[in-house]
Amino acid sequence: MNLDDFMARLAQVQARGLWIELAALVACVALAWGVSRWFGRDQPSDSIWFGARTFDGLLFPLLALVFTELARRVVHDFQVVVVLRIAVSVFVSLAAIRLIARVLRAVFPASTLVRLIERTVSWAAWAGAVLWIVGLLPPVLAELDDITLAFGKTRVSLLTFFQGTLSAGLVLVVALWISSTIEKRILREAVTDLSMRKVASNAIRAILLLIGLLFALSAVGVDLTALSVLGGALGVGLGFGLQKLAANYVSGFVILLERSIRIGDNVKVDSFEGRITDIKTRYTLIRAGNGREAIVPNESLITSRVENLSISDRKFNITTAIVVGYESSVAQVQSILVEAAKAQARVMTDPSPIAYLTNFAPDGLEFTLHFWVTDPEKGRDNLRSAINIAILEGLRAAGIDIPYPQRVLRVASLPEGFQQAPTAPPV
């Protein structure tokens, strides 16, 4: 449809026919919304098909497009169609925008680049719809086909370049959608271990993206046999400049497959202790109890010494020490320390807290209290503080003295003429 055809059709539209088209369009939109609403009642808010409010998902514009196209074909047998033709192009653009936006948001929820891609696709889709509606799309495409770019001895038109980019983008988006669906619907139910689910998700996504890229290149017309040269160059690059990057990627898959270090484990790497929050293909995120987060290359976890504090069980030992006077009852002090630890809900009962007389300090008897928890990520200093407060109150209630540091200085002799300063009278 060119611009003259569009103006001719617009001139032939009668008021009665316009109202019929508008009524058909409203019926199609209402039917699409009702079907989407019915099937999207119990769907999660991040669903690609339904979205958070039913109409912002992919299913609504697709159904509206199908119903509107069917209505256009029916009405076309009786009168000139204009409104429904415009609605079809609008729903095509809306479906394309929703597909790319919803998939990219689901796969990369925290990426700022997704917003830019979404806006770019939206502007391009609406511009294409407007050009098609007014009949300027065919001449614009013909003009783009006449503009060519030279790549060595090969000349490629702008139309071919845009078509190849569009085809590659759609194929990659569909591949990402399939991998995301497999991860959410299949892997979460079939695989309970988080680390195995992570490695399966990364492998599936990489394989699907590779297959999608090959299909996209084939659709554009690129000879896939030429990629063998690129593969050889990539291998040489990995052998020299990218060997560290490749080692980190391989180490990431080795860690996930061996399961020697898993997401949720508490580890200690180079004096940094924390909980593993995520294992990426290139690095691992370790979060300490104070909120600091370390990014550790996966190769370091393979080649260096790593203390996994939770590989055998989830018990974590915490200690606190206190000094009491020599005249104190050892059994009574041990009982007060143990009861102070047992009063805290986070402290495990098996093994039970236990107090030891660990040292005869210069100022008194030194006791060390041992207790265990299963959730060190919730903080250890806060729990130790609560137990210390309970110990202090228990010792004061029992009349047990916590001695101050005392030092006695003995002077064997004084030089001649030295006068000792008078001591201050007691207050």
Side-chain angles (χ1 to χ4, degrees):
M1 183 178 68
N2 52 31
L3 183 58
D4 296 335
D5 188 18
F6 175 77
M7 298 303 297
R9 287 177 176 272
L10 192 62
Q12 295 176 8
V13 174
Q14 300 179 358
R16 180 173 176 273
L18 182 62
W19 284 111
I20 292 176
E21 289 192 67
L22 290 176
L25 178 60
V26 171
C28 293
V29 172
L31 181 60
W33 183 86
V35 174
S36 302
R37 181 75 175 178
W38 174 264
F39 287 101
R41 290 174 297 175
D42 300 326
Q43 298 295 325
S45 60
D46 59 346
S47 173
I48 296 176
W49 283 108
F50 300 97
R53 296 181 295 273
T54 303
F55 61 85
D56 59 348
L58 178 60
L59 184 62
F60 171 71
L62 282 180
L63 290 177
L65 173 62
V66 172
F67 295 152
T68 305
E69 177 61 20
L70 293 176
R72 186 194 67 80
R73 292 176 181 272
V74 173
V75 176
H76 181 69
D77 296 335
F78 304 98
Q79 65 179 43
V80 178
V81 179
V82 175
V83 176
L84 293 178
R85 290 176 65 90
I86 296 175
V88 168
S89 63
V90 170
F91 288 133
V92 168
S93 301
L94 186 59
I97 295 171
R98 292 284 173 81
L99 171 63
I100 296 176
R102 297 297 303 180
V103 171
L104 292 181
R105 287 185 185 180
V107 178
F108 309 106
S111 176
T112 56
L113 185 60
V114 171
R115 302 290 183 182
L116 177 61
I117 296 176
E118 182 180 349
R119 288 194 294 266
T120 304
V121 171
S122 299
W123 280 103
W126 290 126
V130 171
L131 291 176
W132 188 87
I133 290 172
V134 300
L136 295 178
L137 186 59
V140 170
L141 295 179
E143 188 68 23
L144 290 176
D145 195 24
D146 293 336
I147 303 175
T148 59
L149 301 175
F151 296 96
K153 296 181 179 180
T154 305
R155 302 189 67 86
V156 180
S157 66
L158 281 180
L159 179 61
T160 304
F161 177 77
F162 288 143
Q163 288 176 343
T165 304
L166 179 61
S167 301
L170 289 177
V171 170
L172 293 179
V173 166
V174 172
L176 289 173
W177 187 5
I178 295 174
S179 65
S180 177
T181 303
I182 292 176
E183 179 184 358
K184 290 183 178 179
R185 298 298 177 88
I186 299 178
L187 293 180
R188 289 186 179 181
E189 298 177 0
V191 183
T192 57
D193 188 81
L194 184 58
S195 297
M196 291 302 297
R197 188 163 68 236
K198 189 72 176 180
V199 67
S201 172
N202 292 339
I204 290 174
R205 180 175 298 179
I207 293 173
L208 288 177
L209 285 177
L210 177 60
I211 294 175
L213 181 61
L214 294 178
F215 272 108
L217 293 176
S218 178
V220 175
V222 176
D223 187 7
L224 298 182
T225 58
L227 296 179
S228 59
V229 179
L230 179 61
L234 182 60
V236 175
L238 291 177
F240 290 98
L242 302 179
Q243 56 181 347
K244 286 293 184 181
L245 184 63
N248 285 321
Y249 273 98
V250 174
S251 300
F253 281 100
V254 171
I255 291 172
L256 291 171
L257 289 174
E258 286 185 347
R259 300 169 63 185
S260 57
I261 298 176
R262 296 166 294 183
I263 298 176
D265 287 353
N266 279 267
V267 298
K268 186 176 182 180
V269 183
D270 293 335
S271 72
F272 186 87
E273 182 178 342
R275 178 175 176 269
I276 296 179
T277 58
D278 198 2
I279 300 177
K280 304 289 187 179
T281 53
R282 189 181 62 84
Y283 58 88
T284 297
L285 295 175
I286 303 177
R287 185 178 182 85
N290 57 5
R292 295 169 56 198
E293 196 167 48
I295 300 176
V296 182
N298 290 328
E299 186 186 8
S300 300
L301 300 178
I302 294 292
T303 58
S304 62
R305 179 175 177 268
V306 179
E307 296 182 30
N308 193 337
L309 307 179
S310 56
I311 192 170
S312 58
D313 53 44
R314 294 287 297 174
K315 297 190 296 289
F316 296 89
N317 177 252
I318 304 176
T319 62
T320 185
I322 191 171
V323 178
V324 298
Y326 274 103
E327 69 280 359
S328 305
S329 171
V330 174
Q332 187 180 14
V333 174
Q334 288 178 319
S335 176
I336 293 174
L337 296 179
V338 171
E339 292 301 323
K342 288 182 177 180
Q344 301 297 322
R346 290 177 53 194
V347 176
M348 298 179 60
T349 58
D350 185 22
S352 177
I354 187 169
Y356 295 103
L357 175 58
T358 54
N359 190 20
F360 295 99
D363 303 316
L365 302 175
E366 182 177 343
F367 289 84
T368 301
L369 173 65
H370 293 261
F371 52 95
W372 289 262
V373 297
T374 59
D375 52 357
E377 65 276 2
K378 294 183 179 179
R380 281 173 272 189
D381 289 341
N382 54 355
L383 180 60
R384 186 184 287 111
S385 174
I387 293 177
N388 286 339
I389 293 174
I391 291 173
L392 182 61
E393 293 177 351
L395 294 177
R396 286 176 176 175
I400 298 176
D401 179 46
I402 301 178
Y404 294 100
Q406 299 180 10
R407 300 292 181 266
V408 178
L409 181 62
R410 299 181 180 273
V411 181
S413 62
L414 294 174
E416 294 184 8
F418 180 83
Q419 294 183 354
Q420 183 177 2
T423 59
V427 180

